[in-house]
Amino acid sequence: MSCHAMPFGTHLRDDGKVTFKLWAPGVGKVELSLQGNAPELRLTMTPEADGWYGITTELAGIGFYYQYLIDGKHYVSDPASRYQPEDVHGPSQVIDPENWQWQDREWKGRPWEEAVFYELHVGTFSEEGTFRGVKKRLDYLVDLGVTAIQLMAVADFPGQRNWGYDGVLPFAPDSRYGTPDDLKDLIDAAHAKGLMVFNDVVYSHFGPEGNYLHLYAPAFFTKRFDTPWGDAVDFSHHWVRWFFIHNALYWLEEYHFDGLRFDAIHAIFDDSSPNILEELSEAVRLGPGYDRPVYLVLENDNNTARYLRYDPTLPYRYFDAQWNDDLHHVLHVLLTGEDTGYYQDYKQQPLRHLGRCLTEGFAYQGELSSYQDSKQRGESCTDLPLTAFISFLQNHDQVGNRALGERISSLCSQEAVRAATAVLLLTPSLPLLFMGQEWACSQPFTYFVDLPEDLGEQVNLGRLQAFSKFSEFNNAESLLKIPLPNALQTYRAAKLAWDELGRKPHRQWFNFHRELLRLRKSQIIPRIKGVSAGHAYYLLFNDRALTVQWLLNDNSTLTLVANLGKNPARLHCACEGRELFASDKDTRKNLHQGRMDPWAVIFCLQEAGK
């Protein structure tokens, strides 16, 4: 299927006419403003039941620009626009979703356990900053060993640069990155090379610039819940729910995405039953996910394990996996020693938290969080497969929400990063790399936007005020070092420095990641399907050394022994079986002698019955 039928937006009819539909329950009159190759033509839209306005006309066609005129005063873009060639305040364009001739008919996706994610920002991944720029690097990603591209949000945002989470037109790929066909071409090419492609969708809020829904559909929002972005989206309303459900189906059907990542679902408020997440998942599972693999991934600070669990009354699981912030946070504490902010929850017994992440998934499964005012956080997840958790050392948030956007490779020793990388890439949970991580890219990645001057200055000031509360930025001189989000240079500095790949030590880092991923492909991936917490355990030897064992699905045993500290460790344990990876040639010998060097890691695989 190459076109998703929606109850709103535009529909090209077989007779050549175009139907336009808008939900505008808060207004008295809506006109369609056609802005094609002639002076503006206004057509009054017909009021319909439940706040809808519609019109079918032969005066519009493919390529026509259009807007809606609300009560004769305000021109607005179509909230279901498929393309905005002149950005969020400009007219929408009628396009033919059937125009692209897909070549991926033989593509059947990949098994979930094969997923190795690579998160990238389209605007900074390549010098071009476009979908075509990403396409040029697909062979590189295949050679590296990743199998799934995770695009940061691409829905239309205001201005020429943005992380993507200030989007306001969720059906339109941002024109800065290319046309809808350019995105389809990227996905088509990725599938031809065996790569899955995931889209990041944001359903908790709209950005601060270019969202006109309050103007003509105030029922879209509610004051019942407090959010960092103002009034919450009102998911209790039928048509609001279906706006987002259709958005998910649209990306999967019209663009052939293999899956979606749902941003910050802990900030989605809905006390309906079923709630929006459950209803959306059902629509996907019984729709595009019925006859091909479609994967749904969560970001959820609440660690709500029930969304990842099979319901015996349903033929499917709501969501396939969640980004595991717990694992990132505890590794960050171990590697850097930082223990402020949300890291404070992991500074006591960090290795115990790590052991729990590696064997069960979440570190917090109902325990009290000091960072969250001693509230309970999380649910038990010991019955879930370990492939329900996506692990990472870096992602856009954990790098970009730092004041200076430093990557982990600039915050601790190379030995520490090597050890943590081995743990990330060779343990059963699914790994994610953030663009440039694989060669220890030196470029920072900080938050950037392109907003009108007044709003941009508010964002700049808000960021400086937030970081002024930290001891290292409590004076004017240190605050001046923080890149301003609305500055063009902040965006330019975040572009990947691809020329580093040809120089030491960056090439060595790339080779290290590639070899670990080849090892994962041959030795780990074939054995991890269905592996759960009930088949794993860990032991601590001191505050920095531990061993972990997993019983894999072929009854082989994977063993990790690690010293994740800067001092030598005394410990007495064995690492039986074939050595898969060791920090250096002496690691196993030292282990037999009861000691491990700082930041030493060894993995062994013992076949069943041996």
Side-chain angles (χ1 to χ4, degrees):
M1 182 181 295
S2 56
C3 176
H4 173 68
M6 297 184 291
F8 34 70
T10 60
H11 172 65
L12 301 178
R13 294 174 24 141
D14 292 339
D15 61 5
K17 297 180 181 180
V18 183
T19 296
F20 298 82
K21 297 272 283 187
L22 178 71
W23 187 58
V27 304
K29 182 181 181 181
V30 178
E31 295 171 88
L32 172 67
S33 169
L34 293 177
Q35 304 163 10
N37 298 319
E40 177 195 13
L41 176 64
R42 293 186 191 175
L43 304 174
T44 300
M45 299 178 71
T46 303
E48 300 174 359
D50 204 18
W52 285 93
Y53 289 81
I55 190 171
T56 298
T57 177
E58 71 279 1
L59 300 176
I62 297 170
F64 270 64
Y65 286 18
Y66 70 99
Q67 288 180 299
Y68 297 119
L69 180 59
I70 306 299
D71 286 335
K73 300 176 182 178
H74 306 285
Y75 286 92
V76 300
S77 303
D78 185 349
S81 168
R82 282 180 163 91
Y83 189 41
Q84 290 290 123
E86 297 179 9
D87 207 8
V88 298
H89 297 295
S92 306
Q93 186 174 30
V94 178
I95 68 166
D96 181 4
E98 303 276 6
N99 181 60
W100 182 257
Q101 299 300 309
W102 287 95
Q103 304 299 312
D104 66 349
R105 295 177 185 84
E106 301 302 316
W107 172 252
K108 303 300 181 185
R110 299 187 71 132
W112 180 240
E113 60 271 14
E114 292 182 3
V116 175
F117 289 91
Y118 188 94
E119 188 191 21
L120 65 86
H121 178 268
V122 173
T124 56
F125 178 70
S126 69
E127 184 57 38
E128 301 95 323
T130 62
F131 297 128
R132 291 183 180 183
V134 177
K135 180 184 174 182
K136 291 179 181 179
R137 297 287 183 177
L138 293 180
D139 287 335
Y140 164 85
L141 296 176
V142 172
D143 181 48
L144 172 60
V146 302
T147 60
I149 299 170
Q150 172 66 70
L151 299 179
M152 289 175 64
V154 299
D156 202 41
F157 51 77
Q160 294 297 300
R161 55 191 183 274
N162 196 286
W163 271 19
Y165 303 93
D166 293 320
V168 292
L169 297 172
F171 291 82
D174 195 89
S175 60
R176 167 67 181 83
Y177 298 154
T179 67
D181 281 356
D182 287 337
L183 176 54
K184 293 174 182 178
D185 184 36
L186 167 60
I187 296 170
D188 223 351
H191 287 169
K193 297 179 185 297
L195 293 167
M196 297 186 286
V197 188
F198 285 67
N199 192 21
D200 205 337
V201 293
V202 184
Y203 295 161
S204 57
H205 68 283
F206 293 87
E209 174 73 13
N211 172 29
Y212 294 100
L213 284 165
H214 284 93
L215 195 65
Y216 56 86
F220 216 96
F221 303 94
T222 177
K223 297 183 181 298
R224 290 175 57 220
F225 306 102
D226 293 326
T227 81
W229 308 283
D231 292 348
V233 176
D234 188 0
F235 288 104
S236 69
H237 199 291
H238 171 75
W239 288 117
V240 175
R241 295 170 82 86
W242 276 98
F243 182 80
F244 292 101
I245 289 172
H246 274 284
N247 184 255
L249 298 174
Y250 162 82
W251 289 119
L252 295 169
E253 292 178 352
E254 200 155 300
Y255 283 86
H256 293 201
F257 276 104
D258 299 277
L260 303 172
R261 173 195 177 265
F262 295 84
D263 182 71
I265 69 150
H266 50 269
I268 291 176
F269 302 100
D270 181 21
D271 51 14
S272 309
S273 183
N275 66 34
I276 179 60
L277 295 168
E278 294 163 341
E279 188 174 350
L280 186 153
S281 172
E282 180 181 25
V284 170
R285 300 305 187 193
L286 300 180
Y290 187 78
D291 56 4
R292 70 177 174 98
V294 169
Y295 303 116
L296 304 179
V297 177
L298 299 175
E299 180 194 25
N300 182 7
D301 191 53
N302 293 332
N303 286 0
T304 312
R306 64 180 178 273
Y307 287 135
L308 309 174
R309 185 173 290 119
Y310 279 108
D311 184 333
T313 66
L314 298 173
Y316 53 80
R317 188 167 60 191
Y318 283 121
F319 295 89
D320 295 282
Q322 177 178 315
W323 278 23
N324 195 352
D325 283 320
D326 282 357
L327 180 71
H328 168 271
H329 295 348
V330 69
L331 282 174
H332 191 90
V333 170
L334 286 165
L335 268 61
T336 68
E338 294 181 5
D339 58 10
T340 58
Y342 44 66
Y343 295 129
Q344 66 185 271
D345 278 344
Y346 307 85
K347 65 182 179 181
Q348 300 296 328
Q349 297 184 309
L351 215 61
R352 189 174 299 278
H353 289 303
L354 176 62
R356 200 176 199 195
C357 287
L358 294 176
T359 58
E360 299 180 14
F362 298 139
Y364 277 81
Q365 300 180 34
E367 289 76 16
L368 301 181
S369 163
S370 59
Y371 175 67
Q372 296 184 358
D373 300 322
S374 296
K375 296 178 182 177
Q376 283 189 318
R377 175 171 173 257
E379 299 172 352
S380 174
C381 58
T382 56
D383 60 325
L384 297 177
L386 292 180
T387 52
F389 304 92
I390 296 175
S391 304
F392 46 89
L393 276 177
Q394 303 182 60
N395 65 25
H396 71 273
D397 278 326
Q398 303 306 335
V399 177
N401 285 333
R402 299 181 65 83
L404 303 180
E406 309 102 318
R407 296 167 178 267
I408 192 67
S409 51
S410 67
L411 298 174
C412 56
S413 69
Q414 291 190 14
E415 293 77 14
V417 178
R418 281 177 57 88
T421 300
V423 171
L424 170 70
L425 298 183
L426 297 181
T427 49
S429 293
L430 304 181
L432 175 143
L433 299 173
F434 181 59
M435 61 176 193
Q437 174 179 343
E438 70 277 13
W439 79 73
C441 180
S442 65
Q443 298 298 110
F445 185 82
T446 50
Y447 180 59
F448 49 80
V449 295
D450 179 20
L451 296 172
E453 185 175 354
D454 289 348
L455 183 56
E457 281 303 310
Q458 292 180 42
V459 173
N460 290 344
L461 182 59
R463 188 167 177 89
L464 293 178
Q465 288 176 337
F467 286 111
S468 67
K469 300 174 184 177
F470 292 79
S471 58
E472 61 266 44
F473 298 106
N474 61 3
N475 60 73
E477 182 178 354
S478 59
L479 282 174
L480 289 174
K481 298 178 181 178
I482 298 177
L484 298 177
N486 211 41
L488 177 59
Q489 179 54 32
T490 303
Y491 165 75
R492 288 176 173 169
K495 280 187 174 284
L496 289 184
W498 284 95
D499 60 318
E500 291 181 336
L501 261 175
R503 305 195 300 269
K504 293 181 179 181
H506 302 288
R507 192 66 193 180
Q508 286 80 355
W509 276 113
F510 172 83
N511 291 336
F512 178 66
H513 282 78
R514 181 172 59 179
E515 290 307 311
L516 285 177
L517 287 176
R518 288 179 177 176
L519 189 58
R520 180 179 184 86
K521 179 180 179 181
S522 64
Q523 302 299 322
I524 307 301
I525 287 176
R527 297 177 166 94
I528 60 174
K529 184 177 182 179
V531 173
S532 68
H535 299 105
Y537 75 92
Y538 69 94
L539 292 174
L540 307 182
F541 294 98
N542 51 48
D543 62 348
R544 287 298 171 117
L546 86 166
T547 182
V548 187
Q549 285 196 339
W550 299 268
L551 181 64
L552 305 181
N553 61 23
D554 62 351
N555 289 320
S556 62
T557 300
L558 177 67
T559 301
L560 160 68
V561 185
N563 174 17
L564 299 179
K566 59 184 179 182
N567 298 313
R570 306 297 299 183
L571 67 167
H572 298 282
C573 69
C575 194
E576 303 293 345
R578 175 165 49 94
E579 181 181 303
L580 297 183
F581 170 83
S583 296
D584 60 50
K585 61 182 178 61
D586 294 325
T587 300
R588 194 165 194 175
K589 180 181 71 174
N590 292 341
L591 180 61
H592 287 162
Q593 296 173 356
R595 63 184 179 86
M596 291 194 82
D597 291 335
W599 304 112
V601 170
I602 184 170
F603 281 89
C604 296
L605 182 69
Q606 187 171 28
E607 305 291 347
K610 294 184 180 179

